[in-house]
Amino acid sequence: MDAQGRGRADNIDPADQWVLNPNTGEYELRLTPSAPQSSVPGPRRPASSGATAGGGGGGGGARETASPEVPGQRRRRSEPEPPAGRRSRRQPVKKKSKAKKVLLWTGGTMAFVLVAASAAGYLYIKHLNDNITSVSDDGASTGGFSKDKAINLLIIGTDKRTGSGNEGYGDAGSVGHADTTILLHISKDRSNATALSIPRDLIVDVPDCQTQQSDGTEKVIAGTESVRFNTSLGQDGRTASCTVRTVTELTGIQADNFMVADFNAVKTLTDAVGGVEVCLAKDIDDSDSHLKLSKGTHNISGETALAFVRTRHSVGFGGDLSRIQLQQQFLSALMRKLSSNSTLTSPTKLLKLAEVGTKALTVDSQLDSIGKLKDLGLELGKLNPKNLTFTTIPVLDNPAEKVKATVVLNETKAPAVFQAIKDDVSFTAVKKKQAQASKDAAAARLEGSKSAASEVRVRVLNGGAPAGSAQETLSWLQVQKGVLKSENAGNADVALSKTTLEYAPAQAAQARELASLMGLSGSAMKPGKSVINSQGLPAITLTLGKDFQGAGVSLTTPTKAPDVDSKTTADKVTCAK
């Protein structure tokens, strides 16, 4: 932004030209009449096919040619000067709250960076849009996050050596594998988040995936079984959408959006924030990662930051799982730095982050504008660092190997972790926004006498569950639970996300018995009215929603997250061992 001050005799700091508008709550560029209107940075030139700013996944990294400047851009009307001898007075403005700051989490080898961009006028927004590289999501995602739902964001860091200064890092011939991958889940009420690291050496099945290649052609890439997770990107021309499909196959969680970055993102973004503070419990001199730091606390950025997140041989057991713990410590420190007042209240720093952040990322086609990134950032900016939990998918050493090089899913622990995320359960102790009175009322519906199973009269409908679920449930209730006065009523008129049980006040005892058999929570019970079954008798109505997982599977959502092997929250300072 130094160009904004060219030709000015009073040498005003360019940051002073960004003024907070109290009406909109955003920073605006205010130039004096003598300031040149063309001083805003121009569009970024399209990247060559040999070096993309976002790194990433096989082919989709080339930038589109920037659209031409719009002619005749209207100049901002200058404010009238005050009469001679009088000082102009500017009304004080309220400081913008942190939640309203434009924050964006980005990826790379370390993931999650909060970048900010204010409404600076058409040309600057256009400039930031031209910085962004996007690739097709190939239908692998949900189609984009929603403000009124939980958000699942997949952040991928690649080992592709793009850009100058990266010749000594990674595999010289790498096509850009998924070297670091984190599934970030942000709760529906934005009170908490879980960052789930996926080891690159985890053995998985990579499914078939349809991709859009860099030349615009469509290609279906055949899946492979029992391979390392990191081959879900780059290998055989796989794009980031293949990694999204692999995560869905592995966890049952479909990402709303994804972001990809390479080595350069770590260096440029940490430089932009003035470095982050990390802690070591011992001296480290790692010839592989080029990290040389003494025991204690250090402020790191640039090359040192990249070396820190790449180090593995000198910490823990020397493997990828030890490196993941380093990366999680780094991300916690980065979030604390970016959520501090020194960053959030500085227009100069926010603009620098916006500039660097938009260049460092490759995003999916649903996040291809600064406006969409800003909206995502606002949602992420509502989080408190103490309620962001970092953890790793539970794994075990691969029993098929004599020399341990890969890991396999811990089938005992991992499914519970995946289910907790799908159920939007927090891994930290946070107070949910639901009123306690509402919770108590739902719980009270389960209290009281229950009818015998043989006295429960129920109609079962399919309201979004897999085909055949109503008949499956009916057979289970009649044969295994003795609910003989039951019938299959077909499909419901509307699809439901959650299974419900509607009943009249006089049928509460029947409803409580059926809820107990089905494993329904009090919130699934809906006091209402009875319906008439095929025999002309009053009955309660069980409607199976999209959450139905099979007859006999409890539908009570857990309120506590399962135990995991390791976890930390972003507000805590830990020292790498």
Side-chain angles (χ1 to χ4, degrees):
M1 302 300 298
D2 291 340
Q4 293 173 358
R6 294 174 185 169
R8 296 178 59 88
D10 50 2
N11 295 321
I12 292 178
D13 188 335
D16 293 336
Q17 296 175 288
W18 294 88
V19 179
L20 185 64
N21 185 330
N23 296 322
T24 64
E26 297 187 337
Y27 285 97
E28 296 180 349
L29 182 61
R30 300 233 178 133
L31 304 179
T32 63
S34 61
Q37 289 293 316
S38 60
S39 59
V40 178
R44 188 182 182 203
R45 293 183 179 181
S48 64
S49 59
T52 63
R63 300 183 185 276
E64 296 180 0
T65 305
S67 58
E69 297 282 352
V70 175
Q73 179 67 27
R74 181 177 297 177
R75 297 179 55 170
R76 182 182 298 277
R77 183 176 299 173
S78 61
E79 299 180 358
E81 295 187 4
R86 294 178 58 185
R87 290 178 176 266
S88 62
R89 292 185 297 174
R90 178 177 295 169
Q91 294 294 326
V93 296
K94 294 181 180 180
K95 286 188 177 181
K96 192 176 179 184
S97 67
K98 290 185 182 180
K100 295 299 183 182
K101 294 292 182 181
V102 183
L103 302 178
L104 167 68
W105 292 47
T106 74
T109 317
M110 49 30 171
F112 315 134
V113 169
L114 305 172
V115 258
S118 54
Y122 172 80
L123 288 179
Y124 191 67
I125 295 301
K126 181 179 183 299
H127 167 70
L128 293 178
N129 281 331
D130 290 339
N131 283 348
I132 298 170
T133 298
S134 67
V135 295
S136 175
D137 74 341
D138 299 312
S141 70
T142 64
F145 76 95
S146 298
K147 294 182 180 180
D148 58 346
K149 296 180 180 178
I151 299 173
N152 292 306
L153 179 64
L154 192 66
I155 302 169
I156 308 167
T158 79
D159 59 354
K160 193 171 185 178
R161 300 191 336 179
T162 58
S164 60
N166 293 323
E167 294 80 5
Y169 298 122
D171 180 2
S174 176
V175 291
H177 293 118
D179 201 45
T180 297
T181 305
I182 296 177
L183 177 63
L184 176 64
H185 172 84
I186 304 98
S187 68
K188 180 178 179 179
D189 65 4
R190 309 297 186 251
S191 68
N192 65 91
T194 302
L196 184 66
S197 293
I198 304 175
R200 68 172 191 177
D201 296 327
L202 175 63
I203 297 300
V204 298
D205 293 338
V206 178
D208 295 346
C209 57
Q210 180 161 342
T211 65
Q212 183 180 88
Q213 298 292 299
S214 57
D215 59 1
T217 60
E218 301 288 336
K219 180 181 179 182
V220 176
I221 301 175
T224 51
E225 297 181 354
S226 299
V227 294
R228 293 179 191 240
F229 174 84
N230 68 341
T231 61
S232 64
L233 176 64
Q235 197 80 11
D236 301 321
R238 293 187 177 114
T239 64
S241 65
C242 296
T243 303
V244 174
R245 295 186 196 277
T246 303
V247 171
T248 302
E249 181 92 359
L250 174 68
T251 67
I253 302 167
Q254 187 176 21
D256 299 304
N257 297 101
F258 65 78
M259 297 178 176
V260 186
D262 62 9
F263 291 148
N264 286 317
V266 182
K267 297 190 289 186
T268 59
L269 288 166
T270 51
D271 282 341
V273 299
V276 298
E277 191 173 89
V278 297
C279 181
L280 297 175
K282 63 181 181 180
D283 296 343
I284 289 184
D285 187 357
D286 193 320
S287 58
D288 291 311
S289 68
H290 311 302
L291 180 68
K292 185 175 183 179
L293 289 175
S294 60
K295 175 182 177 181
T297 302
H298 300 270
N299 186 279
I300 61 173
S301 61
E303 296 288 346
T304 305
L306 177 58
F308 185 87
V309 298
R310 294 188 63 250
T311 295
R312 58 172 172 160
H313 297 300
S314 300
V315 292
F317 295 104
D320 187 51
L321 295 179
S322 299
R323 178 170 61 177
I324 285 175
Q325 293 181 359
L326 267 187
Q327 293 169 348
Q328 291 174 349
Q329 181 206 154
F330 177 83
L331 295 174
S332 297
L334 187 57
M335 182 177 180
R336 291 194 299 272
K337 178 66 174 285
L338 289 166
S339 61
S340 66
N341 283 334
S342 62
T343 300
L344 294 177
T345 59
S346 170
T348 302
K349 287 184 179 180
L350 293 177
L351 289 170
K352 186 174 183 180
L353 282 168
E355 185 73 25
V356 172
T358 50
K359 290 179 180 178
L361 294 174
T362 295
V363 299
D364 70 81
S365 48
Q366 308 299 329
L367 283 177
D368 59 355
S369 73
I370 193 64
K372 294 177 182 178
L373 290 171
K374 181 193 75 171
D375 288 343
L376 176 60
L378 286 172
E379 297 304 307
L380 297 171
K382 298 173 183 177
L383 289 172
N384 187 321
K386 70 179 182 180
N387 295 330
L388 168 61
T389 302
F390 290 93
T391 189
T392 305
I393 287 181
V395 295
L396 300 169
D397 286 333
N398 191 344
E401 297 175 337
K402 292 183 178 180
V403 178
K404 305 304 180 185
T406 62
V407 293
V408 296
L409 201 66
N410 185 329
E411 297 290 353
T412 301
K413 294 183 177 181
V417 173
F418 301 152
Q419 190 61 48
I421 293 176
K422 286 190 282 188
D423 290 336
D424 205 22
V425 176
S426 174
F427 280 70
T428 57
V430 296
K431 294 182 179 180
K432 290 289 186 178
K433 295 181 179 180
Q434 182 183 7
Q436 188 61 43
S438 177
K439 289 183 179 181
D440 293 342
R445 295 170 195 154
L446 296 172
E447 298 175 0
S449 61
K450 300 176 184 176
S451 299
S454 59
E455 297 302 318
V456 175
R457 187 178 290 109
V458 58
R459 298 173 74 245
V460 183
L461 289 87
N462 190 329
S469 294
Q471 185 59 43
E472 176 192 356
T473 300
L474 180 66
S475 300
W476 177 77
L477 287 173
Q478 292 180 342
V479 175
Q480 297 191 36
K481 298 301 177 181
V483 184
L484 302 178
K485 297 177 181 179
S486 52
E487 64 182 33
N488 184 347
N491 293 326
D493 293 333
V494 294
L496 302 177
S497 60
K498 300 288 186 180
T499 296
T500 63
L501 178 59
E502 185 176 4
Y503 57 96
Q507 299 169 314
Q510 294 184 48
R512 285 191 287 267
E513 173 64 13
L514 187 60
S516 177
L517 295 175
M518 293 289 299
L520 296 176
S521 65
S523 60
M525 300 178 68
K526 305 298 180 184
K529 60 182 180 179
S530 64
V531 294
I532 303 301
N533 66 11
S534 60
Q535 296 177 338
L537 298 173
I540 61 179
T541 302
L542 174 66
T543 305
L544 306 176
K546 295 179 181 179
D547 62 337
F548 180 77
Q549 299 177 40
V553 179
S554 175
L555 291 173
T556 300
T557 301
T559 58
K560 183 180 178 182
D563 292 331
V564 289
D565 296 332
S566 65
K567 71 176 182 178
T568 184
T569 52
D571 63 316
K572 295 179 180 178
V573 179
T574 57
C575 297
K577 298 178 181 181

